[in-house]
Amino acid sequence: MSDRTGYNVDYDDAGSVVIDEASHAPMAGDDVPTSQDGLGCHSGATMAEAARSAGQSELLDQFAKDYPQGPHDKPQSMCPAFGSLRVGLRMKRTATILSGSACCVYGLTFVSHFYGARRSVGYVPFNSETLVTGKLFEDIREAVHDIADPEKLDAIVVTNLCVPTASGVPLQLLPDEIDGVRVVGIDVPGFGVPTHAEAKDVLAGAMLNYARREIEAGPVAMPESGKSDRPTVSLLGEMFPADPMMIGAMLAPMGLAAGPVVPCREWRELYAALDCGVAAAIHPFYTASVREFQAAGRPVIGSAPVGHDGTASWLAAIGDAFGVSAKEVAAAQNAFLPAIKAALSATPIKGTITLSGYEGSELLVARLLIESGADVPYVGTACPKTPWSADDAAWLEAKGVKIKYRASLEDDCAAMEAIRPDLAIGTTPVVQKGKELGIPSLYFTNLISARPLMGVAGAGSLAQVVNAAIGNKDRMGKMKAFFEGVGHNDTAGVWEGSPNLQPQFRAQNLKKLEKQARAAKAAQMI
């Protein structure tokens, strides 16, 4: 086995410190701004122009390079900052402070608690005066100092939402640490970060950068789990809890182990993640995180051990990166590939499926569905094309799959309507549209990505839910016929009887609108 490239991570003796997961940060403030700009991520180019005028050109240029835009200059899904917020809230001994419009903060905290956050989210409010005079930054700095308690916290994450970013609130001027508590400031504007999945990378990359600089400065605290006695593979991307364990089992015959999953769950795991031999971009859009691993001298490989073919090629790529002998790689493959093939054969999926989502694992799920026997003519992902998904794309395209990167809602719906599949897997609005058409539909995030995908465990994990949904096609057709026309046009709303239609009023209004249009056109010609 070849020596690992890059520097070594030196640990001090602080690994015996017990992490108190119950300690959470208090609220930074609860006042509501007296006035709001009213602009946000859906202001598109207007906010981006304001941000550049406020000195944020370098930030936006980096975002454009890391997360290239698609056909839209604004998000089509939830606020992107939800991704980075969720990462921070899942970390032990980490406090989160938001700076943004009150409506945005309310929505973000609401959905965070809906998804199980069990700690407060700090909020630094502002109004027009504090925003334009620079007082908002002073308020943020005061809030950070107020909650920087080393007995409770390892780190504080401060996030600028759209308006503070566009106004140039300089989080980079915050102190790097206060009494040993690290301060990580990030900007996650909707007009610069296209999806909430990529916002996870914004924070994960910023934390890895901080941790890497700590490692370069000298010995760091040992992770609670200690140092692995085998070379490790760090895993990029949130996964079902069983997947890292399955990956670890597949690596064991090669004398390797699975390292931490990035985004991490506690600060010291960042050191262990950087202390790997190879970083595996399981989710291929973690551009900023990949940059930190590469800066640490760690090679990065793409794809994932999904299905028979994916597992075989991924184990081979890992073995090549570590310099593992062909015999050891073959041992790992022979230990798992027959079982994966058997599981795929035992749980076949028959039917045509269109697949779309914004998690970044869409191509991996498509591979698994196809190896299970499904016909998948279309895959749409809201994430961009990157080198780390190239192997998956090549495999899918060889199977005749049309892949749409930065797919819009319109792209996904058009594909579904044109193909009329037996099952549509997609985002909430795609599922809604599919059910309106009588097509069985499953929400990708809650019903597909929340299942194991890797190795033997993943081989049969999708069949039950997918086959059950496809089996509901006749029932969906009966429901569509029963409710045909309800909730559309004149039947929209709630009625005790039939609506009292007045078509003559519509005709009169139509004539008035046509007359106004003719007058406006005539005025333009003068």
Side-chain angles (χ1 to χ4, degrees), residues 99-119:
S99 173
S101 299
C103 55
C104 300
V105 173
Y106 170 78
L108 286 168
T109 53
F110 177 88
V111 74
S112 295
H113 290 298
F114 180 83
Y115 276 91
R118 296 182 179 180
R119 67 185 74 175

Side-chain angles (χ1 to χ4, degrees), residues 405-447:
Y405 295 99
R406 284 286 187 240
S408 66
L409 173 61
E410 293 80 5
D411 293 327
D412 295 337
C413 288
M416 178 180 61
E417 293 182 73
I419 296 169
R420 294 283 171 155
D422 298 305
L423 174 66
I425 299 174
T427 57
T428 303
V430 172
V431 169
Q432 178 184 352
K433 182 67 174 179
K435 290 181 177 180
E436 287 180 355
L437 297 173
I439 299 173
S441 306
L442 293 175
Y443 179 35
F444 185 96
T445 300
N446 284 8
L447 296 175

Side-chain angles (χ1 to χ4, degrees), residues 7 18 26 29 64 66 111 130 133 144 182 216 231 264 331 335 342 355 364 393 404 411 445 493 496 499 519 525:
Y7 52 72
V18 177
D66 289 347
V111 74
T130 61
T133 61
V144 171
R182 303 162 185 86
E216 292 171 349
C264 297
L355 174 67
L364 300 179
K404 180 69 175 180
D411 293 327
T445 300
E496 293 183 359
M525 298 176 62

